[in-house]
Amino acid sequence: MNRRLFLAGTSALGMCAALPVAAQGTAGVPTPADAQLREMLDRFFAARMAESPEGATRLGLDTGTLAPLRSQLDDRSAAGAAAELARAKTELAELQAVPAASLSPDARLDHEVVSYQLEHAISGAERFRYGSSMGRYAPYVLSQLTGAYRDVPDFLDGQHRIRDAADADAYLARVGAFAAAIDQDTQRQADDARAGVFAPDYLLDTTLTLLAALRDRPAAETVPVAALARKLAEAKLPADRVAQAAAIMEGEVFPALDRQRALLTDLRARATHDAGVWRLPDGEAYYAAAAEAATTVALDGAEIHRLGLEQVAEIGARIDTILQGQGMTQGTVGERLVALNERPDQLFPNTDEGRAALLAMLNEQIEAMTARLPEQFATLPRAPVEVRRVPPSIQDGAPGGYYQAASLDGTRPAQYFINLRDTFNRPKFGLATLSYHEAVPGHHLQVMTALESDAIPLIRRRAGFSGYTEGWALYSEQLADEMGMYDGDPLGQVGYLQSLLFRATRLVVDSGMHHQKWSREKATDYLIATTGLARQRSQNEIDRYTAWPGQACSYKIGHTQWVALRDAVKAKQGAAFDPRAFHDVLRAGPMPLTVLERLITTQMLG
């Protein structure tokens, strides 16, 4: 990456339009080696799906020869992780045997992106023998954000469709596999604990609370059983499987949860309160690797911290100007944002009716933006997106909002989840920005444009490059502002700028905890004082960054790079600049920011 271009763009936080790149048209005639590479990559993807039953279900690919996967859960064991690493090494060796020079530009891009992914996954897994480091870095097998105890019930409820008896039997088989998945996590966490790797006390407190919410209720009322009962009724199938699922939960899953709770209770008695991964084996290097894995930019902790402080100051000054124009002149920017958050006219009632009204507002915002998309985009996704509440069973540990892609077979729409644990955490002035980030033109447009493209190998359509995807979503918030979505709504624009400020503050607190050894309390207080976000939401955010080091940095660093590249292209093209042509870069699929820079530089700046 051109560090001069990246760092020069860190102050370009004002009005920016769109970044024109017709990336789908990387010139060149397909070569014989292209077909060889495509066959290879499709074979890699098929092997990955065969080893990821849950991934196959999410994509709607658990049919035909892959139908048996519908009855299985992912392998979470140490042996499974070792097999994944071995497979990655084999794939990389095979990929390196294909000379990049023999490929067309499109195929060369596929080769470059998959090679990057494999090389970084292998290096992470070989150096750090705890937690997860082959994609998103997560040092703790068990936390409020990681573990089968929380993932499997949500997966069964939200992803496993029941249309006939075979689907119902497959669901029941997955309930039967749940206990083994829990025990695999327990064993891996116990192994890591012997090396001193387990979550700090406050994360373990939340984890134990979430685990108890599943364990300490009648089996018939647990999410896996209740969801099965609902799905069977909707499919007009007999309810006899409900009793079978309850018996499995009672006889197999609950004992596995008891074993996991015993381990976590023991670890809680020995846990420290230190927030950062600096305390873990090779912790300083772990954080640097985690941040680079998330951002795909090689910046150390000190650089991330400095960048965050600079952007906090700049965005805060912009918010200050608007607030003063609204007659809000007293106190710091953070204090005035707190006051805005507390205004009754900005809050929905914290009731079922209030939550329903909030969700209705989100749907209206998505509809309004969808009608405007053709102004900026030549390619639009076919799949619809629905707004859903984060399931109450996991809301205490879940992020404030997140997106799940639609299935490839069209049977399940995309879903944008919002955490409504307390509506005070979601004031009205910030809701539109969240919709533009999670739905359109944010994650939904970016993810589904790639996922629905036959031109991109399947292995690349859902590649996990957080700097690209989260940077795009934050760029989408800016794009909405540029499109005039906040015209006549200065508080809505404050909500947009607060979102940018929030992401810049993440750079400060994430590097603060993991690089500079800040405490949880110092990080939380800084987040609240700077952004004005509610304490409960701020605390959840800090706890998220504890469990996912580096990931929170991907948003603002990715946004900064998207804007820097777009500004460079716009400056060169002048009046010829066409935002729809630029936004078709999404058709090239997700990629590391370093590769995105090369692609845009070659096509637009060369």
Side-chain angles (χ1 to χ4, degrees):
M1 170 168 291
N2 185 330
R3 290 173 62 84
R4 193 178 333 175
L5 177 60
F6 173 79
L7 295 173
T10 61
S11 60
L13 299 173
M15 301 298 179
C16 307
L19 167 65
V21 164
Q24 81 283 5
T26 48
V29 177
T31 72
D34 286 11
Q36 176 192 355
L37 178 68
R38 184 60 178 262
E39 182 279 329
M40 180 187 300
L41 295 181
D42 287 346
R43 181 161 38 83
F44 289 176
F45 179 79
R48 293 183 186 187
M49 284 297 96
E51 295 177 10
S52 179
E54 294 169 35
T57 293
R58 288 189 180 93
L59 291 174
L61 297 177
D62 54 353
T63 60
T65 59
L66 296 180
L69 297 178
R70 209 179 313 161
S71 303
Q72 304 170 29
L73 296 175
D74 289 354
D75 184 351
R76 295 170 173 266
S77 67
E84 184 180 7
L85 175 59
R87 186 203 66 220
K89 289 181 176 180
T90 300
E91 289 176 351
L92 182 60
E94 191 172 350
L95 191 59
Q96 289 174 334
V98 178
S102 67
L103 301 170
S104 69
D106 284 339
R108 200 174 306 142
L109 177 64
D110 295 334
H111 188 280
E112 183 177 11
V113 171
V114 178
S115 294
Y116 179 102
Q117 201 172 32
L118 288 169
E119 288 166 358
H120 283 72
I122 291 167
S123 64
E126 289 189 326
R127 179 161 188 178
F128 307 108
R129 299 289 183 169
Y130 53 84
S132 173
S133 55
M134 288 197 72
R136 170 185 287 166
Y137 276 53
Y140 313 118
V141 175
L142 292 171
S143 73
Q144 87 284 13
L145 291 175
T146 51
Y149 81 92
R150 69 177 303 283
D151 294 343
V152 171
D154 187 44
F155 168 76
L156 291 173
D157 185 9
Q159 303 290 327
H160 188 114
R161 292 175 59 86
I162 293 182
R163 293 153 292 193
D164 53 34
D167 289 341
D169 287 339
Y171 185 107
L172 195 61
R174 278 178 157 160
V175 176
F178 189 14
I182 294 167
D183 282 335
Q184 287 170 350
D185 281 347
T186 301
Q187 183 59 58
R188 286 185 59 218
Q189 181 60 84
D191 292 342
D192 285 355
R194 282 189 281 274
V197 180
F198 51 95
D201 54 10
Y202 56 93
L203 293 194
L204 290 175
D205 286 339
T206 304
T207 305
L208 284 164
T209 298
L210 293 172
L211 194 151
L214 174 63
R215 171 62 182 89
D216 296 342
R217 66 176 59 203
E221 297 178 10
T222 61
V223 170
V225 181
L228 175 60
R230 185 188 75 249
K231 292 170 186 279
L232 289 173
E234 292 170 350
K236 297 181 172 53
L237 292 171
D240 55 309
R241 293 179 183 85
V242 175
Q244 297 177 54
I248 293 171
M249 291 294 294
E250 186 75 42
E252 300 175 27
V253 176
F254 282 0
L257 289 171
D258 289 339
R259 291 188 288 273
Q260 191 161 100
R261 178 152 60 178
L263 171 66
L264 292 176
T265 301
D266 174 66
L267 296 180
R268 174 62 181 83
R270 298 189 277 129
T272 73
H273 194 65
D274 295 325
V277 294
W278 53 264
R279 65 183 176 84
L280 303 180
D282 206 10
E284 185 175 342
Y286 186 93
Y287 180 61
E292 183 173 358
T295 65
T296 62
V297 177
L299 297 174
D300 62 31
E303 290 176 302
I304 292 171
H305 201 75
R306 177 193 56 76
L307 177 62
L309 291 172
E310 289 176 356
Q311 296 202 359
V312 163
E314 185 168 354
I315 300 166
R318 294 174 64 188
I319 295 174
D320 178 50
T321 299
I322 299 175
L323 292 178
Q324 289 198 36
Q326 296 298 300
M328 301 180 69
T329 61
Q330 300 301 310
T332 66
V333 167
E335 288 168 345
R336 281 175 280 166
L337 288 171
V338 168
L340 182 59
N341 196 151
E342 293 174 345
R343 279 178 27 178
D345 67 316
Q346 293 299 315
L347 297 175
F348 286 96
N350 196 36
T351 62
D352 288 343
E353 293 76 15
R355 292 181 177 90
L358 189 155
L359 292 171
M361 176 179 279
L362 297 181
N363 280 309
E364 291 171 3
Q365 292 163 349
I366 291 172
E367 289 177 11
M369 173 56 84
T370 299
R372 298 279 307 276
L373 290 178
E375 301 170 17
Q376 297 285 331
F377 298 91
T379 303
L380 299 176
R382 296 185 298 273
V385 58
E386 295 180 352
V387 183
R388 295 184 60 183
R389 178 184 177 183
V390 171
S393 60
I394 63 171
Q395 67 184 6
D396 287 355
Y402 55 90
Y403 170 84
Q404 290 182 351
S407 59
L408 281 172
D409 61 2
T411 58
R412 181 180 48 73
Q415 297 165 339
Y416 148 34
F417 287 87
I418 182 169
N419 195 329
L420 298 182
R421 175 184 180 183
D422 188 337
T423 56
F424 182 76
N425 296 330
R426 289 298 173 190
K428 294 177 184 178
F429 69 90
L431 286 176
T433 291
L434 183 65
S435 295
Y436 303 144
H437 181 106
E438 299 293 348
V440 288
H443 286 316
H444 180 59
L445 201 147
Q446 177 261 309
V447 170
M448 294 311 302
T449 296
L451 200 55
E452 293 174 350
S453 171
D454 292 335
I456 307 172
L458 275 165
I459 198 171
R460 284 200 51 228
R461 296 185 201 178
R462 284 301 314 276
F465 299 111
S466 189
Y468 177 99
T469 58
E470 297 297 352
W472 169 265
L474 203 54
Y475 167 78
S476 295
E477 297 180 24
Q478 180 172 312
L479 181 62
D481 182 47
E482 295 163 0
M483 292 170 65
M485 300 304 288
Y486 301 115
D487 287 355
D489 180 17
L491 293 186
Q493 190 171 54
V494 167
Y496 150 62
L497 291 173
Q498 185 189 38
S499 177
L500 285 186
L501 179 64
F502 170 43
R503 273 39 180 259
T505 304
R506 282 177 163 179
L507 299 177
V508 179
V509 296
D510 194 83
S511 58
M513 288 191 296
H514 297 296
H515 176 71
Q516 297 192 307
K517 302 185 180 180
W518 283 17
S519 67
R520 179 203 197 200
E521 289 72 24
K522 181 175 181 178
T524 304
D525 290 344
Y526 181 88
L527 182 61
I528 295 170
T530 304
T531 66
L533 296 179
R535 177 164 289 276
Q536 182 189 71
R537 180 182 169 194
S538 296
Q539 193 67 82
N540 282 358
E541 289 292 334
I542 293 301
D543 292 355
R544 167 187 170 183
Y545 314 152
T546 306
W548 285 342
Q551 193 274 339
C553 300
S554 62
Y555 297 72
K556 201 65 187 66
I557 288 176
H559 169 259
T560 299
Q561 181 67 348
W562 275 105
V563 171
L565 290 169
R566 186 275 303 277
D567 283 355
V569 173
K570 190 177 181 184
K572 179 174 183 179
Q573 293 195 343
F577 177 78
D578 180 358
R580 293 175 301 173
F582 160 67
H583 290 140
D584 259 2
V585 70
L586 297 180
R587 294 175 60 185
M591 63 191 75
L593 293 175
T594 49
V595 179
L596 177 67
E597 181 185 12
R598 182 193 57 74
L599 184 67
I600 291 174
T601 299
T602 300
Q603 294 185 3
M604 304 267 89
L605 300 173

